[in-house]
């Protein structure tokens, strides 16, 4: 304990703990609760039984009533602690409940029915992280299908974005050609006009192309993102032209200059665009919502939204499916968090 | 940055990562070699001077078909009427859509407007943008300043704030709906503290406030990162010099930190403004615009006119989206001009 305290109170550079350091750590600990708490609460709740989920006031941990198999009864019977009139406590299993009276038996002596007032019994509970909600939820929530669609969309859209954006950025940064500035200007001017603004006409174009209810309709349109071209172009401008001239003298084709000289040097910018693209595509909602209307084509986000919108779907199932939906990106983040946060921080300035 | 690792722990052994790297390398070789055949041929035919057009082409094609062309088409929709989806069958109505959107007895009272839902959406969005962006920037700035202090485990805390950014809007909405519902955690805490339950999602004012709060919760990590990078790019010598000259912490904050952080603040403001005007998906899953129309925003208006209502009034949707685009462009230009002036 003392060690923990000295560890926590140690500061870098300064020897004494200042009041502002205390405030800093107070702020940070509170933030951990606010940022992680809701997610933790969701995960804990997802293991609760349907009855426990609707219980108010809610309890932190997923308690579940213990049951016991008793010969002569098909179903396992719920266990209760019953306080007798003399104050002693026994564990009894409940057979059925009639009004204010419960008919109970002693598991050791299952033949004699004991009648107990329900006020005298208390359920015997333990903490169980059961997967029932997950199994039941997946009967109507096609997690595997949605996951596959989301992965297909995210991976292929990101690869396509990286390819065509970097090719365009290469041309716009390393060549002089007629119309270059016009192309760049038109692209940049659409940076601030979001896709939600042109919803209706894009839907028409998709329909005309025949990509309605086709994953291609989700993948392709967003791939030519002006943001990506801009980001890569700015980075490629810093790559010295001498390298390219040298490669050209060595007889490299323009494609080889792009693929073997410029792309490897632009890796930091490509990494950042990859992060952005994966984030955009994985979490995209409005776009796939419009293009896809068949359940077997839904991405995770659209699937989850339609699942929560269905009537008679209960919270315990929604909670479990929400946890499933956020699981993949959480795992990726757990492994790559340092790269992701530093990557975004370094381009934020540009 | 990181703690020093003893040399003995760094063992050079071929890991799964190395093997994967080598495999990726050979895949990349194929990626270079295969198209090279095709591109070299093309280069020989059209000459290397015209190659940049080939490089720009794929991006330009997709951009033209799916972004630029729809943007122009939006004008066609905005100036035509009826409920037909195909532009060639839509009758020209001139400015009628805009007249319907903008016709108001009294602009301060949405119920005197012909298209009162639009005006409710406008006011809701305006309130949301002002409240959300100012709170977002305030919280992000404080957090970035805290993270910029000499603290332990900075990387960990940075990730803590960033994690919600990665969560999808639907997940964010469901997490908070679960906490704020009538029998949720927050009402449980209120009861435990001896307070009455609050119908957070049923009361219009509370619902509005929570939409602001959860979107700040979800996005602040991103802006914190950018502001933190801005803070860390301020040379430490400036602070040292100020200290030698006898400046207090507050003085160096006002005279060094704030002015040098201004360019970053500008980026953050523009980005968060553009994003705030477009608020849709979190709210769609969180309150679906309710209670009533309390959290009904502009993009939802466009979506519901064009896609969700039984009679699809594309003209109104397109008209509203043009007005929104105009606001976005004005906002961005204003920010850019402001930035120019300060330089």
């Amino acid at each position: 304990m003392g060690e923990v305290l000295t560890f926590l109170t140690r500061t870098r550079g300064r020897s004494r703990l200042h009041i502002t350091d205390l405030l800093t750590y107070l702020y940070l600990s509170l933030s951990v609760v606010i940022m992680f708490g809701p997610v933790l609460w969701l995960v804990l709740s997802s293991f609760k039984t349907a009855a426990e989920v609707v219980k108010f006031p809610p309890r932190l941990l997923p308690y579940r009533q213990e049951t016991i198999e008793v010969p002569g009864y098909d179903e396992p019977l719920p266990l209760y602690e019953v306080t007798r009139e003399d104050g002693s406590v026994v564990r009894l299993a409940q057979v059925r409940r009639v009004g204010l009276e419960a008919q109970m038996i002693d598991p050791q002596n299952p033949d004699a029915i004991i009648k107990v007032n329900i006020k005298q019994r208390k359920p015997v509970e333990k903490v169980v992280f059961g997967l029932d909600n997950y199994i039941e939820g997946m009967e109507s929530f096609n997690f595997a299908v949605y996951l596959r669609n989301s992965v297909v969309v995210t991976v292929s859209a990101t690869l396509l974005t990286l390819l065509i954006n970097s090719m365009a950025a290469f041309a716009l940064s390393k060549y002089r050609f007629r119309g270059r500035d016009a192309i760049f200007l038109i692209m940049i001017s659409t940076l601030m006009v979001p896709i939600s603004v042109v919803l209706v006409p894009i839907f028409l174009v998709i329909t005309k192309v025949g990509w309605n209810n086709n994953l291609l309709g989700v993948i392709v349109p967003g791939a030519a993102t002006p943001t990506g071209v801009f980001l890569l172009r700015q980075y490629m401008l810093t790559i010295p032209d001498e390298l390219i001239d040298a490669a050209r003298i060595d007889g490299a084709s323009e494609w080889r200059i792009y693929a073997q000289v410029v792309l490897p040097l632009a890796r930091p910018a490509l990494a950042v665009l990859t992060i952005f693209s994966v984030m955009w595509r994985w979490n995209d909602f409005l776009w796939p919502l419009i293009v896809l209307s068949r359940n077997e084509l839904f991405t995770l986000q659209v699937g989850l939204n339609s699942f929560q919108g269905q009537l008679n779907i209960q919270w315990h199932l929604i909670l479990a499916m929400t946890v499933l939906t956020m699981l993949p990106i959480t795992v990726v983040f757990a492994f790559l968090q340092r790269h992701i946060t530093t990557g975004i921080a370094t381009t934020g300035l540009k | 940055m990181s703690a020093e690792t003893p040399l003995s722990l760094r063992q050079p052994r071929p890991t799964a990562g190395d093997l994967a790297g080598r495999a990726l390398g050979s895949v990349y070789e194929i990626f270079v070699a295969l198209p090279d055949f095709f591109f070299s041929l093309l280069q020989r035919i059209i000459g290397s001077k015209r190659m940049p057009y080939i490089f720009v082409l794929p991006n330009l094609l997709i951009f033209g078909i799916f972004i630029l062309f729809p943007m122009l088409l939006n004008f066609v929709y905005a100036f035509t009427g009826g409920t037909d989806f195909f532009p060639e069958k839509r009758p020209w109505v001139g400015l009628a859509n805009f007249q319907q959107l903008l016709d108001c007895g009294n602009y301060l009272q949405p119920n005197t407007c012909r298209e009162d839902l639009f005006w409710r959406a406008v006011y809701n969005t305006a309130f949301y943008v002002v409240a959300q962006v100012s709170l977002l920037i305030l919280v992000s700035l404080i957090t970035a300043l805290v993270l910029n202090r000499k603290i332990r485990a900075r990387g960990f805390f940075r990730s803590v704030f960033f994690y919600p950014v990665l969560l999808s809007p639907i997940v964010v909405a469901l997490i908070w709906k679960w906490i704020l519902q009538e029998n949720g955690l927050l009402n449980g805490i209120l009861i435990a503290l001896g307070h009455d339950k609050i119908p957070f999602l049923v009361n219009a004012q509370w619902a509005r406030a929570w939409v602001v709060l959860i979107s700040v919760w979800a996005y602040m990590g991103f802006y914190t990162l950018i502001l933190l990078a801005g803070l860390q790019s301020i040379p430490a010598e400036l602070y040292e010099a100020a200290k030698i000259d006898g400046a207090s912490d507050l003085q160096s904050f006002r005279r060094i930190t704030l002015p040098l952080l201004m360019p970053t603040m500008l980026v953050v403001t523009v980005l968060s403004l553009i994003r705030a005007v477009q608020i849709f998906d979190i709210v769609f899953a969180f309150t679906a615009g309710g209670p009533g129309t309390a959290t009904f925003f502009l993009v939802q208006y466009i979506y519901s006119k064009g896609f969700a209502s039984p009679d699809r009034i594309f003209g109104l949707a397109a008209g509203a989206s043009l007005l929104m685009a105009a606001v976005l462009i004005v906002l961005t230009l204003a920010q850019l001009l402001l930035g120019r002036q300060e330089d």
Side-chain angles (χ1 to χ4, degrees), chain B residues 203-270:
Chain B
N203 176 300
Q205 299 306 327
W206 276 111
R208 283 200 183 106
W210 277 108
V211 166
V212 171
L213 291 176
I214 69 171
S215 58
V216 169
W217 181 84
Y219 299 143
M220 66 165 290
F222 181 75
Y223 300 101
T224 300
L225 269 191
I226 297 181
L227 286 172
L228 182 60
L231 285 174
Q232 289 181 337
S233 72
I234 299 174
E237 297 87 62
L238 286 181
Y239 293 107
E240 280 156 28
K243 207 169 204 175
I244 291 167
D245 287 349
S248 70
D249 283 354
L250 195 67
Q251 275 173 324
S252 34
F253 175 75
R254 277 186 49 200
R255 304 282 170 174
I256 302 173
T257 315
L258 272 188
L260 287 178
L261 199 62
M262 256 353 240
T264 321
M265 288 285 277
L266 201 68
V267 173
V268 167
T269 316
V270 174

Side-chain angles (χ1 to χ4, degrees), chain B residues 285-302:
Chain B
F286 183 58
T287 59
T293 54
T295 57
F296 191 88
F297 296 113
L298 261 177
V299 173
Q300 199 182 342
Y301 175 81
I302 299 171

